[in-house]
Amino acid sequence: MSYTDIAAQLGITKGRVTQIRSTAPPPERAFFGIGPVSVGIPRRYGVEEGRERPFFDAVDMASQTAVEEMLTKLAMASTRLAVEPSTESPPPSDAVIVCGPKSAPVARTLLAADPFLDFEQDGHGRWWIAGKTSATPVRIDSPFRRSQPSRSDVGYFARHVTASRVIVHIAGITSVGSLGVIDWLNENLSALYLGNEDNSVSGVVQCDFDNEFAIEASRLVAGPYSW
């Protein structure tokens, strides 16, 4: 329909239709579904003064805040979610789950649905993001976890589209890798969404960070893979 026709149907002026259209949220907001979006990070447990106490990792909390800010920019409502160590399934609503396979089984549930990428651990306890088939010859570890470490990490992202919701899964080899993924998504969401409107998609991002764990740069190093 033309703006004139829309204005006639709504009983407003064509100028008002143009104004609404120019200030509307961008189409890539649908990358996260309809909303409201639950933004989940792992609740961890440690012993303090002889008692087990719950806590949230500071970088995980920074990731949660960064996702919330991105959703706010896209005019989407969000709520906070604590991912328990026993959580096996994502919530029944649109969600962003920032969680690695070591933190909760929900990460394994989501990774199992990705036909291209997975996390694996070698015999020395190091984690890698790896391809599942010969079609995705990917095997990337974290420079931050090497014997001679550098301030660089890698993280994984996936968008899972189902009939009822969208689940975005983010997981770094360390928590700063997740923050790097969010930084990259924030800058590249429009291009990633274009052509993948109805598809699930995944990829790997590498980031560089300073000694305060603030992201300095992020770049796609594998993918995006679409299904």
Side-chain angles (χ1 to χ4, degrees):
M1 297 174 65
S2 69
Y3 284 3
T4 301
D5 292 337
I6 293 171
Q9 291 288 331
L10 295 178
I12 59 178
T13 66
K14 179 183 175 182
R16 179 58 180 148
V17 173
T18 303
Q19 182 185 44
I20 292 170
R21 179 65 185 87
S22 65
T23 58
E28 60 266 25
R29 74 194 298 268
F31 184 87
F32 296 100
I34 297 172
V37 180
S38 299
V39 183
I41 60 172
R43 194 199 310 269
R44 307 177 190 276
Y45 291 85
V47 177
E48 180 183 342
E49 297 178 352
R51 296 178 60 186
E52 185 178 67
R53 299 181 185 273
F55 68 95
F56 292 100
D57 177 86
V59 181
D60 284 341
M61 293 175 67
S63 291
Q64 187 176 48
T65 298
V67 171
E68 291 170 339
E69 290 174 349
M70 180 164 47
L71 292 170
T72 297
K73 186 173 68 174
L74 295 170
M76 298 195 79
S78 64
T79 60
R80 290 193 166 188
L81 173 71
V83 178
E84 298 291 344
S86 59
T87 300
E88 296 184 358
S89 301
S93 60
D94 295 329
V96 178
I97 303 297
V98 184
C99 179
K102 185 178 178 180
S103 298
V106 64
R108 279 287 176 208
T109 301
L110 293 168
L111 286 164
D114 184 339
F116 294 104
L117 297 170
D118 201 355
F119 276 64
E120 62 180 38
Q121 194 172 25
D122 64 20
H124 304 286
R126 290 174 61 197
W127 285 93
W128 302 71
I129 302 175
K132 287 185 175 180
T133 69
S134 57
T136 49
V138 177
R139 195 167 190 266
I140 307 171
D141 70 333
S142 170
F144 193 46
R145 289 299 190 215
R146 293 173 185 169
S147 56
Q148 295 183 327
S150 60
R151 286 199 287 267
S152 182
D153 197 15
V154 291
Y156 162 92
F157 70 87
R159 177 196 191 219
H160 298 276
V161 180
T162 71
S164 60
R165 61 183 173 171
V166 173
I167 304 294
V168 174
H169 181 204
I170 297 171
I173 289 186
T174 74
S175 56
V176 72
S178 298
L179 198 57
V181 168
I182 298 161
D183 179 82
W184 185 85
L185 286 174
N186 202 28
E187 296 297 324
N188 297 275
L189 189 63
S190 178
L192 179 63
Y193 178 72
L194 183 65
N196 290 301
E197 293 90 343
D198 300 320
N199 295 338
S200 298
V201 62
S202 63
V204 183
V205 170
Q206 184 169 357
C207 67
D208 306 316
F209 55 91
D210 63 20
N211 57 4
E212 299 293 329
F213 297 100
I215 303 301
E216 297 181 319
S218 57
R219 55 203 171 272
L220 187 72
V221 293
Y225 305 106
S226 180
W227 69 95

